Amino acid sequence: MGGKTVGHDSPAGDLRLANLTKRFGIFTAVDDLSLTIPQGSFFALLGASGCGKTTTLRMIAGLEEPTSGQVLLGDRDIARLRPYKRPVNTVFQSYALFPHLDIFENVAFGLRRRGIRKVDDQVRRMLSLVQLDGYERRRPAQLSGGQQQRVALARALINHPQVLLLDEPLGALDLKLRRQMQIELKRIQIEVGITFVHVTHDQEEAMTMADTVAVMNAGRIEQLGAPADLYEFPATPFVASFLGQSNLIAGDAAGASGGDIGVSAHGARFSVPAGRARAERGPVFLGVRPEKLHLVDSAEQVPAGHQHVPGVVTDASYVGVSTQYLIRTAWGSELSVFAANSGAGRPAAGRRPGGGVLGPAARLPAAPRAGRERPHLAAAG
C-alpha cells in the first residue's frame, strides 16, 4: 500500500465501490459489492451483525485492504492508499478522545499534525457547529456521552474530509440522547454538505437520518433506496422482516388479472395490486405491516374492498403509543397487529386475549418466497 496522497481540498466526487470483495480465509465477508454514494449525501449501510457493513466501511477508510475490487472517490481509486493519505475521516462508537488533552486540543489535533499553526478560528467554528461553545478547556472526562460524541465529530470535520464515515457512533448513548443526536447529525451534514456514510444495525436510526439506505445481508446488498421506498416496497422477505416488522404469509401466485395478482394461501384467496408485487407466479410471501392491520369483531364489520383473515387474540401488550396484539390464525401461525392509542373511538386496550377477531388486510404487498437460493435472488423467482 502507498501511492500519492489525495488532498482534503481536492475536488470531491461520488464515492463508488466497484466489485468490492473481502475474504478472510474461506469466509467471504463482502461479496462483489458495487454501489454509488452520491457526493454530499447521507448514506446508511444497514444490517445485522456479521453482514459485512463494518468491513465495507473499514475498506473505505483504509483499515482493511480489499481482496479485489475498487474504492473510487471521483475518478481516483483509493483502495490501495494508506488511511492517512485518503480524504476520509472516521467517527467510531468509542470516540477515542485523548483524555490528557482538553477539548480545544482534541479538536485541533488533526490540524497540528498537518503542521498548521493558526488553529484558533477553525477550532472555535467547529465547536460552534456542534454546539459546544465555551467547552474549550474542559477535559473529555468532564463531558457527557453525547458531548464527547460531538467532540469526536468536530475533530473529524475540522480536517475537511470529502467523506465522513460513522461507525455506529450513537450506540453507546441512551435512547433519548440517541434520538437527539440523530437530528443533530442530520443538521450538521446538511450544513457542511459533505458525504456521510453511516454504518448501523438500528433501523430507526438509518431511516431517521439517511437520504438513501442500503440493507446488507451476507456480504451483499439486498435492497437500496429511500427509507420510505424500502419500508413500503420491500424487495425480499429479508428486507420486509429486518426493516421494521412485517407479517409474512406463504402462498402461491396465479398470475395477473385485471391489474391484480391472485394469491392462494392456506385455503383462502387474496389479491395484490400488480404494482406492489415482485412476482406474478409461483411461491410468494404476502407481506403486511402490523400497523396496517385493523381489528374488528366480525366479518360483517370488514369494510368493502378489504380482505380479511380470521383469528383469535392470544396476547395484548400496551406500549404507550400503541397496543400490540398477537393473532393466532386458523392455520396456526401468529400475526402482529399494532393499534394506535389515538384516543378516538373504542380504546384498543379494551380487547382481551381469547376474543374472535378478523384483521382486514387492505392491499397486501407480495414478495417472492426464498427457497434454497440466497434471499437476494428471490426477486428473480
Side-chain angles (χ1 to χ4, degrees):
M1 294 178 68
K4 183 179 178 182
T5 301
V6 178
H8 285 63
D9 297 323
S10 62
D14 294 346
L15 175 63
R16 293 185 293 127
L17 309 182
N19 307 113
L20 199 63
T21 298
K22 180 63 179 180
R23 296 189 185 92
F24 297 95
I26 62 171
F27 174 70
T28 301
V30 178
D31 190 4
D32 197 33
L33 182 66
S34 293
L35 62 86
T36 298
I37 301 172
Q39 178 184 344
S41 65
F42 200 129
F43 188 92
L45 276 174
L46 174 66
S49 297
C51 72
K53 61 186 187 297
T54 297
T55 302
T56 301
L57 179 138
R58 289 175 62 84
M59 286 190 286
I60 298 171
L63 303 176
E64 293 282 357
E65 186 172 355
T67 303
S68 62
Q70 295 177 298
V71 178
L72 297 148
L73 194 51
D75 295 326
R76 179 77 187 276
D77 185 3
I78 63 172
R80 302 296 182 258
L81 291 182
R82 295 185 182 278
Y84 65 86
K85 292 186 175 182
R86 305 182 186 204
V88 175
N89 278 101
T90 306
V91 177
F92 297 99
Q93 183 175 335
S94 64
Y95 314 141
L97 301 179
F98 300 112
H100 63 290
L101 299 180
D102 60 24
I103 301 311
F104 184 97
E105 291 301 329
N106 263 281
V107 175
F109 182 81
L111 298 181
R112 296 201 189 282
R113 288 280 293 177
R114 289 159 54 195
I116 299 173
R117 294 184 179 181
K118 296 182 178 180
V119 301
D120 290 36
D121 289 345
Q122 291 190 65
V123 171
R124 288 192 166 87
R125 272 200 304 272
M126 280 298 132
L127 289 176
S128 179
L129 176 68
V130 298
Q131 299 180 349
L132 286 177
D133 304 271
Y135 285 76
E136 292 89 343
R137 296 309 166 195
R138 297 193 188 187
R139 296 292 178 93
Q142 297 174 298
L143 303 185
S144 68
Q147 290 168 336
Q148 290 182 36
Q149 198 268 351
R150 294 180 191 211
V151 175
L153 187 62
R155 184 177 63 182
L157 289 173
I158 202 168
N159 294 310
H160 304 291
Q162 294 178 17
V163 178
L164 183 68
L165 306 176
L166 303 162
D167 187 10
E168 307 212 37
L170 309 183
L173 305 180
D174 62 60
L175 179 60
K176 183 178 180 180
L177 186 54
R178 189 159 67 243
R179 288 178 172 167
Q180 290 174 349
M181 286 306 302
Q182 289 170 8
I183 297 170
E184 199 63 19
L185 276 173
K186 184 61 178 174
R187 176 191 67 80
I188 291 170
Q189 191 273 333
I190 291 171
E191 191 165 336
V192 299
I194 67 173
T195 305
F196 277 31
V197 180
H198 181 212
V199 163
T200 182
H201 66 273
D202 189 315
Q203 301 97 319
E204 179 183 324
E205 191 170 291
M207 295 180 71
T208 298
M209 295 192 292
D211 307 314
T212 304
V213 177
V215 180
M216 286 193 72
N217 182 35
R220 293 184 173 227
I221 301 294
E222 286 269 335
Q223 189 175 358
L224 182 149
D229 291 339
L230 267 61
Y231 189 82
E232 297 293 341
F233 302 101
T236 68
F238 177 84
V239 175
S241 299
F242 186 77
L243 198 65
Q245 294 188 45
S246 189
N247 297 299
L248 298 176
I249 303 172
D252 288 285
S257 176
D260 288 337
I261 307 295
V263 178
S264 300
H266 303 287
R269 287 189 60 81
F270 301 92
S271 63
V272 181
R276 293 184 62 85
R278 298 281 180 174
E280 292 190 1
R281 292 186 179 275
V284 296
F285 278 110
L286 291 172
V288 61
R289 298 290 184 183
E291 70 274 12
K292 296 184 179 181
L293 285 169
H294 304 279
L295 298 178
V296 293
D297 293 314
S298 67
E300 288 73 24
Q301 294 176 322
V302 177
H306 286 63
Q307 303 169 82
H308 66 276
V309 173
V312 176
V313 177
T314 59
D315 186 71
S317 301
Y318 180 80
V319 294
V321 297
S322 68
T323 300
Q324 301 182 2
Y325 298 95
L326 286 179
I327 311 298
R328 175 73 66 179
T329 63
W331 58 88
S333 63
E334 287 187 325
L335 304 179
S336 296
V337 180
F338 296 166
N341 294 323
S342 62
R346 180 178 174 180
R351 300 185 187 275
R352 292 290 182 266
V357 298
L358 294 109
R363 299 304 190 184
L364 296 110
R369 188 193 307 172
R372 294 183 180 179
E373 297 175 312
R374 294 168 63 107
H376 72 274
L377 297 176

